[in-house]
Amino acid sequence: MTALHEIIDYCDARLAIDRFEDYCPNGLQVEASQKIERIVTGVTASLALIGAAAEMKADLLLVHHGYFWNNEAAPLAGMKGRRVRALYASNMSLAAYHLPLDAHEELGNNARLGALLGCSNSRPAGDSLLWEGEFPTELAVDELLVRIQGITRREPLLLPGGGHGVRRLAWCTGGAQGKMEKAADLGVDAYLTGEASESNFHVAAERGIHFIAAGHHATERYGIQALGVELENKFDIKHQFIDVFNPV
């Protein structure tokens, strides 16, 4: 077993949470169990994930999407109250890492997705959350879509920007459809994110850049798993990732 504060202190420092102005608190969000033997990781701290983690006797639930967002009602009532009660009933602490886990250059969602896609020279593109890289050879768009679907296990949405293939790619996991024009300014062939907005269709057509939405949940599975594996290797704990289905 390992003390809760040791794990939280390690994660806070490893992900450099003080560098970020985020929409939610990063780090420990609900304090219950003080001694950690088993960690469950997942994307979002939903009631379904809490229940699955409780069945595995987890002492700490570690997620990308936690609670206490800027636009969220403060009272621990309704859905949020039920979730927090379930955590305490299971004596399970909760920690969440949002933007720090997107941006981290080794463990982050963007870094991990770029590696899975086979991009070389993956790097932040003047913005810690917007990344770019190159494929060794140009891919046909259909070939790239098949590769993305194989990784995410979800059919991606393509908004075509012309008849060209893809050699240079930019991406930002999650709900980053608003970064598409920044990606177009880089001169890349395609931009990949999780969600789509109506305007992305027109930007793709008018700026000649393919837009691909591969799922918010599906593009953000990877950082939290990498963090869990690192914790298992560093501390005397066990780790299990649980993927609660979300089609969005």
Side-chain angles (χ1 to χ4, degrees):
M1 287 189 179
T2 303
L4 173 66
H5 74 84
E6 289 186 57
I7 294 172
I8 299 302
D9 288 350
Y10 178 84
C11 292
D12 289 355
R14 182 77 166 101
L15 299 177
I17 65 172
D18 292 340
R19 290 176 44 217
F20 294 86
E21 292 186 14
D22 211 334
Y23 314 106
C24 60
N26 286 289
L28 185 63
Q29 293 192 340
V30 176
E31 185 176 6
S33 178
Q34 295 295 317
K35 295 294 184 181
I36 309 302
E37 184 174 7
R38 183 179 297 275
I39 290 178
V40 162
T41 57
V43 177
T44 298
S46 64
L47 195 60
L49 179 60
I50 294 169
E55 288 183 4
M56 297 196 66
K57 308 297 184 185
D59 307 297
L60 173 63
L61 180 59
L62 189 62
V63 298
H64 182 49
H65 300 139
Y67 306 150
F68 312 111
W69 300 89
N70 290 351
N71 61 350
E72 183 180 280
L76 296 179
M79 183 177 72
K80 185 162 65 173
R82 289 190 293 273
R83 290 173 168 183
V84 173
R85 285 196 300 273
L87 287 165
Y88 281 122
S90 303
N91 194 34
M92 188 190 317
S93 295
L94 172 71
Y97 295 93
H98 185 232
L99 295 184
L101 192 59
D102 287 322
H104 197 272
E105 294 193 11
E106 181 181 354
L107 299 174
N109 284 318
N110 285 305
R112 292 286 165 165
L113 183 59
L116 288 168
L117 288 168
C119 286
S120 60
N121 197 25
S122 296
R123 60 204 181 273
D127 174 340
S128 64
L129 299 174
L130 178 64
W131 282 52
E132 65 175 322
E134 297 85 30
F135 295 109
T137 59
E138 182 176 288
L139 300 179
V141 175
D142 287 347
E143 183 180 357
L144 177 58
L145 295 178
V146 168
R147 183 176 298 190
I148 292 168
Q149 185 167 351
I151 294 165
T152 62
R153 306 188 301 278
R154 178 189 187 279
E155 184 178 358
L157 169 69
L158 169 68
L159 303 177
H164 57 276
V166 179
R167 179 70 183 272
R168 293 183 60 208
L169 177 71
W171 65 92
C172 182
T173 64
Q177 57 269 53
K179 291 184 181 290
M180 184 182 182
E181 291 214 57
K182 284 187 177 181
D185 290 342
L186 297 172
V188 297
D189 302 305
Y191 175 60
L192 168 64
T193 187
E195 299 184 31
S197 294
E198 185 271 348
S199 61
N200 297 129
F201 175 80
H202 304 292
V203 176
E206 294 178 31
R207 298 209 57 182
I209 178 174
H210 301 303
F211 176 87
I212 303 168
H216 192 139
H217 174 95
T219 58
E220 295 197 322
R221 292 185 182 110
Y222 313 110
I224 201 70
Q225 291 184 68
L227 181 59
V229 169
E230 181 164 300
L231 294 173
E232 184 175 41
N233 291 334
K234 183 171 181 63
F235 297 99
D236 183 24
I237 57 174
K238 298 176 182 177
H239 162 250
Q240 178 67 48
F241 172 72
I242 295 179
D243 190 20
V244 175
F245 174 72
N246 187 331
V248 177

